[in-house]
Amino acid sequence: MTLQFAPETAATPATLPPLLQALNPEQLAAVTLGPEPALILAGAGSGKTKVLTTRIAWLLSTGQLSPAGVLAVTFTNKAAKEMLTRLGALLPLNVRGMWIGTFHGLCHRMLRAHCKLLNLPATFQILDMQDQLSAIKRLHKQLALDEERFKPKELQWFINACKEEGQRAHQVPVRDADQRHKVEFYRLYEEQCQREGVLDFGELLLRSYELLRDHDPVREHYQRRFRHILVDEFQDTNKLQYAWLKLLAGRMEGGRFVPAGNAVLAVGDDDQSIYAFRGARVGNMADFVREFGVRQQIKLEQNYRSQAHILEAANRLIEHNQGRLGKNLRTDQGCGEPLRVYEAPSDYAEANWVVDEVRQLIGRDGLPAHEVALLYRSNAQSRVLETALFNAGLPYRVYGGLRFFERAEIKHALAYLRLIDNPHDDTSLLRVVNFPPRGIGARSIEALQAAAASAGCSLHDAVSAVPGKAGSHLAAFVALLDVLREGSQGQPLRQIVALVLQHSGLLAHYRAERDGSERVENLEELLNAAESFVLQQGFGRDAVALPLDETAAAEARAAASDSGFEEPSGETLSPLQAFLSHAALEAGDNQAQSGQDAVQLMTVHAAKGLEFDAVFITGLEEGLFPHDNSSASPQALEEERRLMYVAITRARQRLYLSHAQTRMLHGQTRYHPRSRFVDELPAQCLQWLSPKPGSGLGAAGLGKAAVGLQPAWGRSALVSEAPSRAAADATHGLRAGMQVFHPKFGQGQVLAVEGRGDDARAQVSFTRHGSKWLALAVAKLTPL
DNA sequence: TTAAACGATATTTTT
DNA sequence: TATCGTTTAA
């Protein structure tokens, strides 16, 4: 990101140290805040990461703080990496060993350091979502639960939600019988994980929280050590993460939080909170201000990204939300182009219009393809766009596919590697016990599971109890694991991986497979990944310990001797264990799909934090965006609006909005009215594009025939105002969001309108009778 | 052991 | 509609 100087910045005295010279007054204030709790409200494109990294650099370079005294937390590995890179560019500093990372990464580090205290096996492994689900399925089966009443996915969701709330099974309030079963399942699942020596993602946080809560010396140690705590994307923290931070920066006294005086810098933007569905609590920002007694609140409102029309649209849209902390972005850039709005007759036509415009952006305006982003609300919408791009011969890249460490062949290899260290990891054992196939069928596995259950031991240890042919096959598998374990003794990581790929038969298996070449390549890539991991992490013999590390280590030792325990350094982890943790905590990039320079396709969620010269927001339809499932509750609707806000603020120069009258959804043609969000944008920022007039396409009843006529929807017919709602007749004057009256059901709010004319129907949420679908030709609804 | 057939199901996602 | 997961059949 290239930052431009705000006008005030030019007036900044040249006496400032170089580090601080490129900051605007608000950024400067944030960077040089005193050591006290503070909240930075950082608008989109306002230089948030710059403030975070410059502040750390400033604290270090002025000698106010040593590298060991910093704790900086982010949500994603990408953000953490970005921070490390930029910090490294600001200061000649060995950034390795500093506590800068994701919540999960740092909690993991803490757990490794204190696993004895926590009664965790030193070889504990991390379950990713897939692993967790298969562990849950296994337990589900073992308990013979009703498939209908308790689906594994739901149980997984339930358990994770509990953990996000910081609740152990015994703390979960039980309302009904169903809930009681779920809680019981949660308890048994935890037992299983403990037995197998595995921790899921939520557990990393919860254990770390409990570690700090229950062990005073540990908590006091870290409290003393981390004088400055910086939290990125604070609006996305969940209850547990906030509680964890509170333990690092204070203590509870009689139900009241007492800060310990650490300088906690929370950076966030309530308007960009889009993860409530996974437990994020925007309210943490207000709680933070209250509980920490925050006196310093700084708003970063100067935007360095978007032109004025785009910013104005974003500002005006988000004003429709209630209870914001309040922020108004401004820019020094010109107003730029207006936002172009296009109404397509069908999703197909929409895609073709998008591709048409993209082609012009690239051809006429010379934009690189990767500066063009096509955004949508849900992944399924990418398909039409992909088809259109493909037909046009434009290279594109879709985000959000399978990532490297999630690929089946990689997970297989990792499972063998995990079993070397921890043979009691039943999830891993089951994954590869018969892969590649070695004559251990479902029957054998059942026998093994039965034996393990009756002996109360791991599958690995139960092998000897299985008789007959099945038993000998299983014994051969265990012997294979033993060979791998012995062979890996004292070997460098790359050799261990190579050994596993060879002896497990994985390589041979995929080489023999017809379409296995890609998988073979991936397995070979795993070797490289292992090697470069070792080099980067400093496990290799080339690694040099820089002086800063020693300072940090010495300091840690000094602090540790106070509190009576040794804080082990990362080196106590074997390269293999470190690599396996790395694989679980960082799933890696998804493979590039085509050439380097490609149009970027992604959901709005995935676009958060990114920026592009040109952005298309597609599928702006009621029911899609805002999504149907969100229109019922005001909070959910506001989150959808924030999502729209995020989408808009991704664009630097050009923003295109489109919607389709007709869309194929779940095999059915659906009719959605234009999204309310489009109508919430200021008219003077918009330019409406219409289909070429006279093409004979009306608003209603467009079948596939119309779709054939897709070439060139000219931009010739420009209308400067919203199309008059001629279609309103077709929907009987109803639009989503309206208040209506029904003679029988009383008052209600229209959630959605579908179809036109006699087919039109509306979903209405009645105050007394709940939500109903009504045929508008029949139902007597009166707008209020 | 594999392929075919059936049925449920269909926001958003990082760790 | 298309995809995924499970069951069934060969």
Side-chain angles (χ1 to χ4, degrees), chain A residues 531-546:
Chain A
E531 178 135 51
S532 69
F533 174 78
V534 168
L535 292 177
Q536 279 173 27
Q537 295 293 119
F539 290 106
R541 75 171 97 90
D542 295 337
V544 187
L546 295 176

Side-chain angles (χ1 to χ4, degrees), chain A residues 305-307 309-310 335-340 357 360-362 364-367 371-373 612-617 647-648 650-657 687 715:
Chain A
R305 180 184 296 158
S306 310
Q307 294 186 326
H309 275 323
I310 293 167
C335 60
E337 303 264 326
L339 282 59
R340 299 168 153 253
E357 293 287 341
Q360 292 194 46
L361 286 171
I362 295 173
R364 182 195 60 203
D365 303 337
L367 281 191
E371 280 299 342
V372 179
F612 308 92
D613 284 343
V615 170
F616 291 77
I617 309 175
I648 293 174
R650 296 312 95 196
R652 293 195 192 101
Q653 286 146 33
R654 289 169 182 272
L655 184 57
Y656 298 80
L657 313 174
Q687 182 180 42
R715 46 178 60 211

Side-chain angles (χ1 to χ4, degrees), chain A residues 455-473:
Chain A
C457 65
S458 67
L459 296 174
H460 175 269
D461 290 353
V463 162
S464 55
V466 179
K469 206 167 161 193
S472 62
H473 280 143

Side-chain angles (χ1 to χ4, degrees), chain A residues 673 727-741 750 752-753 761-764 774 776 779 781-784:
Chain A
D729 279 353
T731 58
H732 304 253
L734 289 185
R735 262 180 69 67
M738 278 178 146
Q739 292 292 323
V740 290
F741 183 79
V750 180
V753 186
R761 53 198 206 107
Q763 188 185 23
V764 183
L774 303 169
L776 296 185
L781 287 175
T782 332
L784 289 179

